[in-house]
Amino acid sequence: MNVTMSVAYQVLEIIKRLKIIIVVFEVYCHRCGRFTGEIYNTIGEIPESDYCENCDSELTSIQNSVAVYKVIFDE
């Protein structure tokens, strides 16, 4: 789209206000680069610790979580 990161996040915020997307969290292993596959609606839902099924690294909720956008409106 050839826009800055700032503009991209502004657009995402507008889309979020329109109730088309929501922010959710996924746990990501920084060692092997894979997601666990579980999606959490809040940080509090993420287990305090877990292990990556791919490389067996220990994962902690805050350090290994990333915010992602999930589409909730589909025509």
Side-chain angles (χ1 to χ4, degrees):
M1 291 177 40
N2 199 24
V3 297
T4 65
M5 184 80 79
S6 175
V7 170
Y9 278 110
Q10 289 173 6
V11 171
L12 287 168
E13 280 301 313
I14 292 167
I15 295 169
K16 189 172 87 173
R17 277 189 248 128
L18 294 171
K19 300 187 188 300
I20 296 172
I21 60 175
I22 59 172
V23 176
V24 294
F25 300 92
E26 282 191 271
V27 177
Y28 176 79
C29 179
H30 293 338
R31 184 172 180 201
C32 71
R34 297 207 181 175
F35 287 96
T36 63
E38 297 293 325
I39 295 181
Y40 303 94
N41 291 319
T42 66
I43 288 284
E45 292 178 359
I46 301 171
E48 286 196 28
S49 65
D50 202 354
Y51 287 90
C52 176
E53 290 182 12
N54 186 59
C55 70
D56 208 34
S57 292
E58 184 175 6
L59 307 173
T60 57
S61 60
I62 299 299
Q63 293 175 334
N64 293 97
S65 64
V66 293
V68 294
Y69 292 90
K70 177 181 176 183
V71 175
I72 58 171
F73 177 81
D74 192 10
E75 290 185 310

